[in-house]
Amino acid sequence: MTVHTGYTVKQERAQGKHLLSPPLPRLTQSFEQNGEAKYEVIVVGGGPAGMMLTLLLARYGLDETSLLCIDNNESGQSSGHADAFQPRTLEVLKSLGLADDIINAGYQLWETAVWDPSPTQKNVIEHTAVNPLISTAARYPFNLALHLSKIEPFIENDLLRYHKQGIQRGARLSDVKISDDPGFPVEAIIEDKGQRRTVRSKYLVGADGAHSSVRRCMELQLEGDSLGYIWGVIDLIVETDFPDIRRPSFIHSSTGSVLVIPREQVESGEYLTRLYVQTPEKVNTWDTQETTKAKRNGFTLENILQYAAAAFRPFKISPKPHGGVYWWAVYEISQRMLSHFTVADSAGTPRVFFVGDACHVHSPMAGQGMNVSMMDSYNLAWKLMYSINGLTPKASSKSLLDSYHTERYPIAKQLMQFDRVTALMASGKVTAARDSNGNTLTSEDFIDNFKEGSAFMSGCGIEYQESIAVQITADNNNPISGTDYASGILRPGRRLLNVKLRREADGSPRDLHDSFQSSGRFRILVLASSDLLDPQGTSSQTLKYLTESLLPSYAPSTIEMVAVHPGLPSRLNLNALPSRVKQYCEMSFYDGSKIDDAYQIFGVDNKRGVLAVVRPDGYVGVVAELGDVGRIDDYLQKCVQRLPLLGVMV
Amino acid sequence: MTVHTGYTVKQERAQGKHLLSPPLPRLTQSFEQNGEAKYEVIVVGGGPAGMMLTLLLARYGLDETSLLCIDNNESGQSSGHADAFQPRTLEVLKSLGLADDIINAGYQLWETAVWDPSPTQKNVIEHTAVNPLISTAARYPFNLALHLSKIEPFIENDLLRYHKQGIQRGARLSDVKISDDPGFPVEAIIEDKGQRRTVRSKYLVGADGAHSSVRRCMELQLEGDSLGYIWGVIDLIVETDFPDIRRPSFIHSSTGSVLVIPREQVESGEYLTRLYVQTPEKVNTWDTQETTKAKRNGFTLENILQYAAAAFRPFKISPKPHGGVYWWAVYEISQRMLSHFTVADSAGTPRVFFVGDACHVHSPMAGQGMNVSMMDSYNLAWKLMYSINGLTPKASSKSLLDSYHTERYPIAKQLMQFDRVTALMASGKVTAARDSNGNTLTSEDFIDNFKEGSAFMSGCGIEYQESIAVQITADNNNPISGTDYASGILRPGRRLLNVKLRREADGSPRDLHDSFQSSGRFRILVLASSDLLDPQGTSSQTLKYLTESLLPSYAPSTIEMVAVHPGLPSRLNLNALPSRVKQYCEMSFYDGSKIDDAYQIFGVDNKRGVLAVVRPDGYVGVVAELGDVGRIDDYLQKCVQRLPLLGVMV
């Protein structure tokens, strides 16, 4: 190519920011620090929950002048040992543009194996079953094992693109109070390199883990109890002839249980394995504190390895010689949580929030901790931001903030219940057949519990209760057929399932989720009816109302639109639809009959179509008949502030 | 979780390096600079070709003390405007762990549209066809549009993980000579901030583009000619009602041709479009240099936009007002290349190499430039490295280096030919029907040319000729059936197609390519026969020979093994196979009957199986009958240095 003339009007710059995350519009006055020590939000704790919250708020538009995240750990090296992402967490990371790097670095868990005591041979185990690990429909139908220390840099590097300071490390919270100040009622005292300073904020979030300082300052306590079981956990490079060493395996032996979690490669190219190993010791309710402590501290690495070796018989298992063990610990299984996840000011508005281990702790075996913690933050972030930016009508702001507790508390409660049952089952003896009293546990019981819990464990099966942001559909008026929500049937309170569809504009196969990025926007999802091309039909009229009346009445870009048609006899020409449809969804208009069948998966009759609103966190807020734009209008008007009418402005 | 005891034996660190790229073993003496200005390799030019080469060499093991890459551009801001990756380039980027970020940032092109003059209405165009853009089997069956300035940071950031200096910018090559020095025969003079210094190296690579200084210093010239056609090119945000604006579209109008290439989003969220626009001007062979220049410089942006607007009729197209045009240029279509891509020392060993535009330039329309350039480097890098590290037997080293020219020159030649035909066809008038003499071009001709060229254009259809690294299979001895190589039939000289298979160890669905990362290793691919579990069968005997005799005779990790079985009645227990199979391929043993049917796709009879060696760049080097380990042995012994026999060492 020989270029002979030309000039550059604009130089495109290579900047790392995620293109699809422009900050949210702000209807309130912009925040200025003015030299005072005040912020809009203070996040205490920079672990997975705190980092996720800080990243989301920064992407939505809070920069280092209005958002502070502190962590008392100087080094930034995590002491946590979380190591698995659920499918739902991966979906959320994908919606932030962060999943691929993390998936590439991690190890995918697809199948699970169960081994039980042999019914014919004494003291050896026998293969019982291999099942898929995830049985819920999901964009990523696997768990991903990766050490927290490898996950955090991906999130923190991204945070630094939006927030210059990132996480301020080595700063410790020493006190928090809520005052009557109407603007910045939260007063926190922070110690940083021996200096104490008082900072004020609108909101403060305790993301500071099981030993939360925020919780202590608010004089709150976790409630719950211990099951008494003592387990060991080891990360190691194994030498073994156990055939399922690369599948998550539940081993029930006559001497105790072991849970195998295969993990990612280390730098040598070898693969890590995590073993959860049951010990024969149990703490009793009548044990003194000292007896308890002695029981827990009585174990050595060698003990744990011996229990493991006994459970694996007839197979051999041992650490690779010379440095094969990376980490080990002993813990007692317990479940504890806060009875309320927010603390309100005197006017009843929540000002202090708890996320993650600061409000719920449990055993690590089911790999839930980091996931539920990050999803707490994911639920909270947009609600905080909508309140701060005035994107929620004033009258609804308190309700929206309250919905953090009403939505996340029941999930934590379920988590405690699931963890308790799993721990009991894992710690109980499994026999080949139920005994005459029906009291002992069989392998089938174990597998059944696992299958029942699978939707919850995947993070994809959770359902939020009715609130300002979730409007349940009355049965007599439900345009959706089907109740198998785990397979994708549309349901207010559940996340919209990803489907693969062909985009009209360019014929590219796309994941529908890629039109639902985590940029803080509400979206109207239109599944048009088959009469789409009839200008007098319901679809056309609805599209006309949405694009000409509803959407223009909100701040530009707060509400987006995604449209799907049920297959048409020829290529769809957007010029044939109401004129502003192209403006709102040229690049988010899909053929719902190609690749996946969106209508069938979502439970929608393609002659009737459907309307839905999807919240900024991907959960369906409301579902309505295609022609029932009033229902959509009502829902949105409660959640999102409309622009003042032009007449009023003039 | 309450942790009561435990200690960390090793702290895992979060480091960005790609786990699967440990440096290659080095059998030669390690390189030490000793304060002298000398390197093992100097790369001149840090554009796509030079950056790719530097990255590969750095990953294979050359650090900043032995590898220098200079670029005369101070800012590092690329002046090139390459903007599309082919499927094969994406496969290679994936094998380096770089594809996902680039794909996420880019725009995928899946379908192409053709518009022709209406046979019934004057001066308007009419829709003719929509076809898939890529018709060759490929892991990524689409092209990816993304501006070079957004691509380079991904590659350069990765380079800095392996090479502290990265690309040394603002340094200019002023001379190169090849001397008789046996160790460091290449002598280069580099000017850096006014300072001239002489540096010596073993090899020097000219990756410095169309106006290559290396080429000038070597007194070589590009050969070829111009077709005379003058085209304009514009990057802009369009306002249009043209229905295929988001598909690559060939528009043949009665006033001239336009090629539409949709591109990625810019920061505003809007999508860029590139238009290649035919002008009515043509340079004639008899034109003086001044006339030619005047013709080329006679065009303004407004002219080009007018030609485009005329070709789009009846549709409207114009740049978005106020800054809608990002860049534009005018160019004359020509094809020129070097007659030899290497320059040898007096002993005949190639010492100076040319890659990319330094040895072949052509028109930009088909989006080939950056791809062929990067693939030049991908072909060269491992050959250089095997010579430097002594991984090639001394007797073969020259042949392996020579194969760079013998493999890449014919590809460049094909590229010139393809570009010439495409340019002629794009610049010719298309009529609805062939005229009575059969001379004019119809839309069918155009589509046919495009389809024929598709395999080449995708980068997946190229085939290297016989050389030390490609051993062609004689017909009477070919274990492979089928000749549809574009669909994946195994063939020496072609790249191994990716297939999706289930891994035995963990049941995870995997891309076979993920066991063929670009880490510089040769790999033996074993497609076992159905008698795999018979210890006396060919499969078992072959696996035994490979793992107990062949592989141990090479430096550890130079040659890897990947195995596939044709489906077995029950789960494969690796313990049932020869004992060292697990050591070499526990994590690279696949069920070739699940997800894709590997045997059918590769053209292998599952009763017979097959052996193949795949080169470090993913091309099949040799194919043999499953039992014919001698053929594999012969091939490898030529390409890869064996360890000295133990007896000899003692």
Side-chain angles (χ1 to χ4, degrees), chain A residues 123-126 241 311-316:
Chain A
N123 288 337
V124 302
I125 54 171
E126 213 173 80
D241 55 356
F312 272 89
R313 274 192 304 246
F315 302 103
K316 296 191 188 69

Side-chain angles (χ1 to χ4, degrees), chain B residues 296-599:
Chain B
R296 289 186 300 227
N297 290 352
F299 294 101
T300 64
L301 172 59
E302 287 64 36
N303 295 148
I304 310 290
L305 288 169
Q306 276 161 12
Y307 300 137
F312 272 88
R313 273 191 307 242
F315 303 103
K316 296 191 189 69
I317 188 159
S318 59
K320 191 187 83 161
H322 313 300
V325 174
Y326 276 56
W327 173 79
W328 71 280
V330 174
Y331 65 93
E332 186 187 330
I333 294 179
S334 66
Q335 292 86 22
R336 299 172 206 270
M337 62 186 288
L338 274 184
S339 61
H340 208 91
F341 288 3
T342 63
V343 184
D345 61 17
S346 56
T349 302
R351 294 295 180 175
V352 171
F353 298 81
F354 293 93
V355 295
D357 288 1
C359 52
H360 43 71
V361 296
H362 55 97
S363 68
M365 250 189 298
Q368 295 295 304
M370 175 171 61
N371 295 279
V372 176
S373 298
M374 290 174 86
M375 293 306 99
D376 285 346
S377 293
Y378 189 57
N379 182 285
L380 176 59
W382 67 273
K383 296 173 182 175
L384 279 179
M385 200 67 198
Y386 270 58
S387 295
I388 290 169
N389 277 12
L391 287 170
T392 313
K394 257 211 177 112
S396 315
S397 177
K398 184 183 160 314
S399 305
L400 189 65
L401 291 171
D402 280 336
S403 75
Y404 169 67
H405 169 78
T406 56
E407 294 189 337
R408 294 303 295 176
Y409 178 85
I411 304 301
K413 196 91 187 162
Q414 267 181 280
L415 171 59
M416 297 300 125
Q417 181 62 15
F418 173 75
D419 189 60
R420 197 175 170 87
V421 173
T422 305
L424 280 169
M425 288 201 156
S427 304
K429 291 255 188 306
V430 167
T431 54
R434 207 176 295 275
D435 69 14
S436 51
N437 307 319
N439 284 331
T440 55
L441 210 57
T442 68
S443 188
E444 270 168 40
D445 294 329
F446 190 83
I447 294 172
D448 285 349
N449 169 59
F450 185 78
K451 279 189 183 157
E452 270 171 39
S454 173
F456 178 76
M457 259 179 62
S458 74
C460 300
I462 69 165
E463 182 172 318
Y464 292 145
Q465 303 177 355
E466 181 137 39
S467 75
I468 180 174
V470 175
Q471 197 171 329
I472 300 293
T473 318
D475 280 347
N476 57 2
N477 196 21
N478 194 349
I480 301 295
S481 53
T483 53
D484 183 3
Y485 306 119
S487 77
I489 298 295
L490 277 188
R491 166 91 163 170
R494 288 192 171 241
R495 74 97 167 72
L496 179 76
L497 176 69
N498 182 55
V499 290
K500 272 216 169 248
L501 302 177
R502 201 168 291 279
R503 177 157 65 186
E504 276 301 324
D506 56 10
S508 69
R510 301 241 314 161
D511 288 282
L512 186 62
H513 269 196
D514 289 345
S515 287
F516 291 82
Q517 302 274 322
S518 289
S519 62
R521 273 66 183 175
F522 275 82
R523 278 134 189 148
I524 301 175
L525 173 64
V526 182
L527 275 87
S529 53
S530 40
D531 64 349
L532 173 64
L533 295 181
D534 172 5
Q536 299 315 314
T538 314
S539 287
S540 188
Q541 291 299 311
T542 295
L543 287 172
K544 194 172 160 69
Y545 175 80
L546 293 175
T547 55
E548 292 177 15
S549 298
L550 189 147
L551 289 169
S553 69
Y554 290 91
S557 101
T558 319
I559 303 179
E560 297 176 346
M561 197 167 103
V562 178
V564 181
H565 69 71
L568 295 172
S570 66
R571 285 208 300 156
L572 175 66
N573 186 342
L574 285 186
N575 298 326
L577 295 182
S579 63
R580 296 185 70 175
V581 170
K582 190 174 174 184
Q583 172 193 334
Y584 283 104
C585 55
E586 178 182 14
M587 299 306 275
S588 56
F589 210 125
Y590 296 93
D591 182 342
S593 71
K594 294 278 163 59
I595 313 180
D596 288 337
D597 181 341
Y599 287 72

Side-chain angles (χ1 to χ4, degrees), chain A residues 1 7 107 244 362 506 571, chain B residues 1 107 244 328 506 571:
Chain A
M1 173 184 183
Y7 63 93
Y107 183 77
D244 280 323
H362 55 97
D506 56 10
R571 287 207 300 158
Chain B
M1 173 185 186
Y107 183 76
D244 280 323
W328 71 280
D506 56 10
R571 285 208 300 156

Side-chain angles (χ1 to χ4, degrees), chain A residues 318-383:
Chain A
S318 61
K320 190 188 82 160
H322 312 300
V325 174
Y326 275 57
W327 172 80
W328 71 278
V330 174
Y331 65 93
E332 186 187 330
I333 293 179
S334 65
Q335 291 86 21
R336 298 173 207 271
M337 61 186 288
L338 274 184
S339 61
H340 207 90
F341 288 2
T342 63
V343 184
D345 61 18
S346 58
T349 301
R351 294 296 181 175
V352 171
F353 299 81
F354 293 93
V355 294
D357 287 1
C359 53
H360 43 72
V361 297
H362 55 97
S363 68
M365 249 187 300
Q368 295 295 303
M370 175 171 61
N371 295 279
V372 175
S373 298
M374 289 173 87
M375 293 305 100
D376 285 347
S377 294
Y378 189 58
N379 182 285
L380 177 59
W382 67 273
K383 296 173 182 175

Side-chain angles (χ1 to χ4, degrees), chain A residues 453-586:
Chain A
S454 173
F456 178 75
M457 258 180 63
S458 74
C460 300
I462 69 164
E463 182 172 318
Y464 292 145
Q465 303 177 354
E466 182 138 38
S467 76
I468 181 175
V470 175
Q471 197 172 330
I472 300 295
T473 318
D475 280 346
N476 56 3
N477 197 20
N478 194 349
I480 300 295
S481 52
T483 53
D484 183 2
Y485 306 119
S487 77
I489 298 295
L490 276 189
R491 166 91 162 170
R494 288 190 172 242
R495 74 97 167 73
L496 179 75
L497 175 68
N498 182 55
V499 289
K500 271 213 169 251
L501 303 177
R502 200 167 290 280
R503 178 157 65 185
E504 276 300 323
D506 56 10
S508 68
R510 302 241 314 161
D511 289 283
L512 186 62
H513 270 195
D514 289 344
S515 287
F516 291 82
Q517 303 273 322
S518 289
S519 61
R521 271 67 182 176
F522 276 82
R523 277 135 189 146
I524 301 174
L525 173 63
V526 182
L527 276 87
S529 52
S530 40
D531 65 349
L532 173 62
L533 296 180
D534 172 5
Q536 299 315 315
T538 315
S539 288
S540 189
Q541 291 298 311
T542 296
L543 288 172
K544 193 171 160 66
Y545 175 80
L546 294 175
T547 55
E548 293 177 14
S549 298
L550 189 148
L551 290 170
S553 70
Y554 290 91
S557 101
T558 319
I559 304 178
E560 296 175 347
M561 196 168 104
V562 178
V564 182
H565 69 72
L568 296 173
S570 66
R571 287 207 300 158
L572 176 65
N573 185 342
L574 286 186
N575 299 326
L577 295 181
S579 63
R580 298 186 68 174
V581 169
K582 190 174 174 185
Q583 171 193 336
Y584 284 104
C585 55
E586 179 181 14

